[in-house]
Amino acid sequence: MAPHPMMKRRLLPAMGAALLARPALAFDRTLRIVSPFNPGSLSDIVARGLAQALAPVVGQPVVVENRFGAGGGIGALAAARAPADGYTLFLGMVDVMAVNPFTYRNLAYDPERDFAPVSFVSHIPTALIAGPAKPGIRSFADLVAAAKAEPGALSYASWGVGSTSQLAFERISRAAGTSFLHVPYTGAAPAIQAVLASQVDVMVVPTGAAAAMARNGGTRVLAVASPARQPMVPETPTLAELGLPLSLSLWQAVYVPARTPQPVVAQLNAALREAMRAPAFVEMLRTQAGTPEPGTPEALAEFERGERQAWGAVVRELDIRLE
């Protein structure tokens, strides 16, 4: 027998409340986050923190799979080819999503065609450091003066040709009207070690790493490439304060294979928003000078387009072409 009209009016709000009370997510097996860089890298640290925060939200284990090589391209391709069912997430970074399309001649994936944006994660601001090789360089002004006195004599390290560490330094150098010798390495760890060992003079690194290196002695943080001063190095000026309006971050965001249904993308976005509120995740990002910045897929797509324009212009100017 059909409910009385008055009963319908009473049932509908109750049914709506019941639906809202149901779990929005219905995952029934392990999820994985593909990290395109090696264990111990910034990407890996963020991916593992995110996995730990996401697991209790989705009610399933979340594992991190490191698929590194080719500037993050190997991991990107693996994630792009994964089943589009919401169980494989990709932690994309600026290198993989905004730089590689311009540096690699035959890129095996297309960031726009092969991925659907889910949510932004965080900006990790970069900082410019000077190592023990040049103890007289105590400030950004010192660095500029030394570089202009002997163009190309000072050296800077990066974690690879065409990497954001190279491109960020070149953006700073060109804005300051200086010239340096580029010394590329095969990763962030050997590049940083080269600076600490006085083999290379300066480098752009994540602000968290810069603060740790300065605490341990031997390096000075000359500037931060962020909109505001960073609490980890509060005495260090921003590039904008020094007359260079540049903000250069190693941002991360979550993507899924392009064919993933929109309802699944929406579920993952909601889960990530909740996960990024976890105190442990917030603290992990704080140690890297970042904060959680969840957002909509549409906002991430728009941001990414702007980043490609900015970094692509530098790649074209330097004429970097990788196989």
Side-chain angles (χ1 to χ4, degrees), residues 23-250:
L25 307 164
F27 294 98
D28 59 6
R29 65 180 189 274
T30 298
L31 283 73
R32 67 170 177 153
I33 299 176
V34 177
S35 172
F37 293 100
N38 56 297
S41 64
L42 177 62
S43 171
D44 180 64
I45 291 169
V46 174
R48 292 183 186 281
L50 191 59
Q52 291 177 1
L54 185 60
V57 177
V58 297
Q60 296 294 332
V62 181
V63 300
V64 174
E65 182 178 312
N66 297 98
R67 300 289 294 272
F68 50 94
I74 290 176
L77 182 60
R81 290 177 171 174
D85 54 10
Y87 287 89
T88 297
L89 285 65
F90 178 61
L91 187 68
M93 295 185 70
V94 55
D95 299 71
V96 183
M97 307 306 285
V99 173
N100 285 359
F102 302 96
T103 55
Y104 284 87
R105 293 179 185 273
N106 300 300
L107 196 64
Y109 67 95
D110 184 300
E112 289 190 88
R113 182 196 63 213
D114 295 335
F115 290 97
V118 180
S119 175
F120 199 79
V121 175
S122 182
H123 287 90
I124 303 296
T126 58
L128 177 62
I129 62 167
K134 294 292 186 289
I137 296 176
R138 312 296 302 181
S139 68
F140 184 75
D142 291 340
L143 178 65
V144 172
K148 288 186 174 181
E150 296 183 83
L154 292 175
S155 60
Y156 76 93
S158 82
W159 52 76
V161 174
S163 66
T164 44
S165 56
Q166 179 197 6
L167 300 181
F169 192 95
E170 288 291 345
R171 289 177 70 174
I172 296 169
S173 174
R174 288 163 186 261
T178 56
S179 175
F180 292 77
L181 172 67
H182 177 213
V183 184
Y185 289 84
T186 56
I192 289 172
Q193 186 55 45
V195 174
L196 294 175
S198 298
Q199 297 168 356
V200 188
D201 300 320
V202 292
M203 185 179 177
V204 167
V205 298
T207 298
M213 293 163 69
R215 284 194 302 270
N216 293 333
T219 64
R220 284 85 59 207
V221 187
L222 306 181
V224 290
S226 56
R229 291 198 180 200
Q230 294 299 309
M232 301 187 82
V233 284
E235 302 303 317
T236 303
T238 67
L239 287 174
E241 291 178 71
L242 299 169
L244 306 181
L246 292 173
S247 181
L248 309 168
S249 73
L250 305 176

